Amino acid sequence: MRIGLIGTGRIGTFHAAVLERYREVGSLVVTDADPERAVALADRIGATAAPTVDEIFSWGVDAVVITAATSAHGELIGRAARAGLPVFCEKPIALDLPGTLTALAEVERAGTVLQLGFQRRFDAGYTAAREAVRAGRLGRLHTVRAMTSDPAPPPAAYLPLSGGLYRDCLVHDFDILRWVTGREVTEVYATGSDAGPAMFREAGDVDTAAAVLTLDDGVLVTATATRCNGAGYDVRMELSGELDTVVVGLDDRTPVASTEPKGPPAASKPWPGFLERFAPAYEAELVAFVDVVRGERENPCDGREALHALRIAEACELSRRERRLVRMEEIPGG
């Protein structure tokens, strides 16, 4: 199998290294808007560098992995669909609903595969939580608490391109919420704060956000996120039912410190970022994609799943902006 990878930044470099050592991938072709960066990566891992994206589609690849800038995702997904090629794409499909729906329509017309990179679906902790909920071990679920806390803000230039904290960051929590519980969000109320670094206010974004979501079975959910968690990278989900409570993301590297006299000690080596925390999950989702291309398994996260998560993020952004409760039927694409 020959795979073309578009985008050789941090996550693209990680994905390229995974694909290059996977035995089912016979060859890997990489390209980037910065050709020198693509050449450097290719030389380092033994791949082939393509001068431009055009060669990815003319050199006879069997599938495409998109890790380019978010603004290019929709166009590249459409181009791959028209070429009849299966695609793995890092989230999001696009930064807005119209762009997302356009790309999905291209994929559906072509009848091709689009797998989205929501890597938490492949994390051992979230998988175990899903199994516990689905098996009824928690009893009737009544409360879910989800959080994503980055240790430091991204570069200022990234913020206007990110889509904002709900679409860029909390969208992962919204996707995994649906996947773990098997339920849909019916309404949201969200708020945010831009009291941190000035670059968030200048970009019209917030550095910290919170949302209360109601699921279709009445379960209440809180979801919070921040770009300014100096203790380290902290991603958790707590699920409480009438019989038991389980927590995802609580281990000896969770960047929390107890104030209790007999509480557990603070992590000696807290998680520094998303790639370190979710490295096994990132690898597993790519292995799954190769299996999907080979016809050996069903698509574990298709484009419609990504649309559902984006719609929740859109509802939160609307709620924050208009300071009101938003019902999901207000958001197009349902």
Side-chain angles (χ1 to χ4, degrees):
M1 180 186 302
R2 191 180 206 194
I3 291 182
L5 182 141
I6 305 170
T8 58
R10 185 183 183 193
I11 192 65
T13 296
F14 181 91
H15 286 341
V18 170
L19 292 168
E20 186 60 35
R21 66 175 180 264
Y22 189 46
R23 61 182 177 82
E24 303 296 348
V25 179
S27 63
L28 179 66
V29 182
V30 301
T31 193
D32 193 273
D34 179 353
E36 292 183 2
R37 187 164 70 174
V39 169
L41 174 62
D43 289 346
R44 191 161 65 249
I45 67 173
T48 300
T52 70
V53 170
D54 292 340
E55 283 76 21
I56 295 292
F57 294 99
S58 65
W59 285 2
V61 300
D62 300 299
V64 175
V65 172
I66 299 172
T67 55
T70 297
S71 59
H73 286 188
E75 178 186 351
L76 291 171
I77 289 169
R79 186 168 181 180
R82 294 189 296 273
L85 294 172
V87 173
F88 174 93
C89 183
E90 277 300 325
K91 66 85 189 169
I93 295 173
L95 286 178
D96 57 20
L97 280 171
T100 298
L101 293 170
T102 296
L104 286 176
E106 291 248 42
V107 171
E108 290 168 4
R109 277 196 298 270
T112 51
V113 169
L114 170 61
Q115 180 182 329
L116 262 292
F118 281 109
Q119 86 285 349
R120 295 186 194 183
R121 293 179 176 224
F122 297 86
D123 177 73
Y126 284 107
T127 299
R130 185 178 194 262
E131 292 169 355
V133 171
R134 302 301 178 90
R137 294 200 295 273
L138 307 185
R140 182 187 69 85
L141 195 64
H142 53 74
T143 308
V144 179
R145 303 173 184 88
M147 63 177 292
T148 295
S149 299
D150 288 333
Y158 173 75
L159 293 178
L161 309 175
S162 71
L165 193 57
Y166 296 105
R167 300 183 189 95
D168 181 52
C169 185
L170 274 168
V171 71
H172 281 286
D173 296 274
F174 302 149
D175 174 72
I176 206 65
L177 171 67
R178 296 181 60 254
W179 189 77
V180 168
T181 65
R183 314 302 303 195
E184 298 294 343
V185 174
T186 59
E187 60 185 31
V188 310
Y189 185 86
T191 188
S193 169
D194 61 3
M199 63 182 182
F200 290 96
R201 292 185 291 279
E202 293 164 359
D205 196 6
V206 294
D207 58 78
T208 303
V212 177
L213 307 94
T214 303
L215 303 188
D216 56 13
D217 60 350
V219 172
L220 297 179
V221 181
T222 60
T224 63
T226 184
R227 302 283 199 185
C228 304
N229 195 58
Y233 183 71
D234 193 359
V235 170
R236 279 177 279 152
M237 172 181 270
E238 181 179 304
L239 300 110
S240 297
E242 292 181 337
L243 298 180
D244 204 358
T245 294
V246 295
V247 182
V248 180
L250 185 61
D251 60 19
D252 61 358
R253 298 192 67 181
T254 305
V256 295
S258 174
T259 60
E260 298 298 329
K262 295 184 179 180
S268 60
K269 190 180 179 182
W271 294 110
F274 67 91
L275 197 50
E276 294 82 4
R277 165 67 176 83
F278 288 111
Y282 278 118
E283 182 162 353
E285 69 179 357
L286 279 179
V287 171
F289 176 62
V290 173
D291 291 344
V292 169
V293 175
R294 289 166 54 85
E296 296 175 353
R297 68 172 292 174
E298 293 296 315
N299 188 345
C301 187
D302 66 23
R304 286 286 163 184
E305 294 293 289
L307 174 62
H308 289 309
L310 177 62
R311 291 181 65 247
I312 299 169
E314 291 285 339
C316 287
E317 185 58 46
L318 179 60
S319 176
R320 179 186 75 87
R321 191 168 61 246
E322 298 188 357
R323 296 181 177 272
R324 66 176 178 88
L325 183 143
V326 172
R327 296 193 59 81
M328 287 306 301
E329 57 256 35
E330 297 181 51
I331 308 300

